[in-house]
Amino acid sequence: MLTRNEDAKDKRSWCGLNRPEMEMKEADAVIFGIPFDEGVSYRGGASEAPGMLRANTKCSTPSTEKLAFYKDFNVVDAGDFTAESREQLFEEVRRFVCGLVKDGVRFTMVGGDHSVTIPVERGINDALDEDFGIIHIDAHMDMSEELEGDVLSHGCTERRALELEHSSSSDNFFFIGIRSIEEDEFDYYMKNHINVKTSYVCYHEGIEAVASQCIAKMKKFDKVYLTFDIDALDPGFAAGTGTPQFGGLTPRMALTLLEKLFTELNIIGFDVVEIAPPLDPSLTAMFAGRKIIQEAWGYWADSLGKLIRK
């Protein structure tokens, strides 16, 4: 069930951009949360991220790191998805996202563990009659057939997307920041061509070169979805996440990557997942996620002529 609490109705939320009275079809972007973390294989806590992010966007402004402003960018907070079963939850998210994509509405999802990207990608697939691209920024590939017996685990996100009609080839995917791999993922990786740039490669080749290679591969898709697992960042910059991996992307690498991708590609939606506030009292991962959302919205606002520069 999709419900709005008081924070979701608060116009101060999301940097003062929240327009609770506006129809979703009229919004420049719709944001919603999926406070679910039962798909994790290690540490939980990501279910608290949507609420924590909402509360901590009331004290932030709709501005970018380049000191541009986008106060006229209209966001509708649709609230959070909850359900008694994962099956029901995933189906409701799938239908909701399908509706947004059919209406041409850009959207942002806040997880939750990475399994909640599964119904989002299913919804995109249902709405389209064409192939779409998926950019997966993460420490992990999430390409396991199953993890601990769970085929809907946060470690199976993109394997499930491979089963979809419009993202059924490994060429539909581009992985960035990877630095950990499961045994069955390794088998798949060895037997198939996969567009993957490890964190090691991002450092040694340079993040701009990696972004350019990603854009070159994704340009053939008219529509692209971007999923950002906060553990793509080095844990020194985002400690509050369930499965951190040392040696990750720096904040500057991440922001440069987003700049190039959002400028050059038609990203119709994105998510930020795996932020686990209970695992980090200083909330570094939460603040990183907030910045990612603000910068991405800045690029969307720019595409609509709603970014004010000096």
Side-chain angles (χ1 to χ4, degrees), residues 42-55:
Y42 191 34
R43 303 184 300 173
S47 62
E48 297 185 23
M52 186 65 72
L53 265 164
R54 274 195 192 90

Side-chain angles (χ1 to χ4, degrees), residues 9-26:
K9 300 174 185 177
D10 194 329
K11 292 186 177 182
R12 295 172 299 167
S13 295
W14 306 115
C15 309
L17 300 173
N18 191 23
R19 308 286 185 262
E21 75 287 350
M22 182 175 283
E23 293 291 329
M24 292 186 200
K25 290 183 180 181
E26 300 173 359

Side-chain angles (χ1 to χ4, degrees), residues 234-300:
D234 187 86
F237 303 108
T241 189
T243 51
Q245 289 286 341
F246 191 66
L249 304 181
T250 65
R252 177 49 46 207
M253 292 166 75
L255 292 175
T256 298
L257 179 62
L258 292 175
E259 178 184 17
K260 290 185 72 68
L261 298 180
F262 273 84
T263 301
E264 297 293 332
L265 298 171
N266 180 28
I267 297 176
I268 62 170
F270 71 95
D271 66 51
V272 182
V273 297
E274 296 283 357
I275 296 170
L279 300 179
D280 176 21
S282 62
L283 299 178
T284 54
M286 187 281 298
F287 285 113
R290 187 180 75 175
K291 187 64 173 176
I292 289 166
I293 293 170
Q294 283 182 257
E295 292 299 313
W297 284 353
Y299 296 118
W300 276 351

Side-chain angles (χ1 to χ4, degrees), residues 25-248:
K25 290 183 180 181
E26 300 173 359
D28 296 320
V30 168
I31 189 166
F32 60 95
I34 310 179
F36 176 89
D37 61 4
E38 295 176 25
V40 298
S41 58
Y42 191 34
R43 303 184 300 173
S47 62
E48 297 185 23
M52 186 65 72
L53 265 164
R54 274 195 192 90
N56 284 279
T57 55
K58 296 177 184 179
C59 58
S60 190
T61 59
S63 61
T64 73
E65 65 168 352
K66 296 177 184 176
L67 307 185
F69 228 69
Y70 53 97
K71 61 183 177 65
D72 295 324
F73 186 76
N74 298 311
V75 173
V76 172
D77 187 341
D80 288 341
F81 279 93
T82 58
E84 293 183 0
S85 69
R86 180 168 62 180
E87 180 181 16
Q88 180 185 357
L89 175 70
F90 279 23
E91 184 56 31
E92 290 183 6
V93 171
R94 179 177 184 167
R95 290 198 302 266
F96 180 73
V97 170
C98 178
L100 292 177
V101 175
K102 283 185 174 181
D103 288 337
V105 180
R106 290 166 166 165
F107 67 92
T108 301
M109 182 271 281
V110 179
D113 69 61
H114 217 153
S115 71
V116 298
T117 299
I118 294 173
V120 172
E121 292 173 343
R122 287 174 173 174
I124 296 171
N125 181 76
D126 291 347
L128 300 179
D129 56 6
E130 62 185 299
D131 279 4
F132 67 101
I134 296 173
I135 300 173
H136 184 99
I137 305 172
D138 198 330
H140 314 87
M141 295 180 73
D142 296 347
M143 286 281 282
S144 290
E145 178 58 37
E146 56 86 19
L147 201 60
E148 298 180 352
D150 185 5
V151 297
L152 296 177
S153 163
H154 67 160
C156 305
T157 306
E158 305 308 0
R159 182 60 71 92
R160 299 289 78 81
L162 268 172
E163 299 168 349
L164 301 175
E165 179 183 0
H166 299 302
S167 59
S168 59
S169 167
S170 57
D171 281 339
N172 290 76
F173 300 83
F174 204 101
F175 298 86
I176 300 175
I178 310 303
R179 54 195 185 275
S180 176
I181 194 164
E182 299 291 329
E183 185 173 0
D184 68 329
E185 291 177 318
F186 182 73
D187 290 340
Y188 187 89
Y189 173 68
M190 292 296 289
K191 295 174 183 176
N192 297 273
H193 168 73
I194 302 179
N195 300 309
V196 56
K197 295 294 179 179
T198 64
S199 185
Y200 178 92
V201 169
C202 290
Y203 175 79
H204 286 279
E205 290 189 2
I207 198 64
E208 290 196 20
V210 167
S212 294
Q213 292 171 57
C214 178
I215 291 165
K217 290 289 185 180
M218 293 286 108
K219 268 287 190 184
K220 63 184 176 184
F221 301 110
D222 183 56
K223 298 175 177 64
V224 176
Y225 186 71
L226 186 148
T227 178
F228 198 119
D229 188 322
I230 208 68
D231 69 28
L233 300 175
D234 187 86
F237 303 108
T241 189
T243 51
Q245 289 286 341
F246 191 66

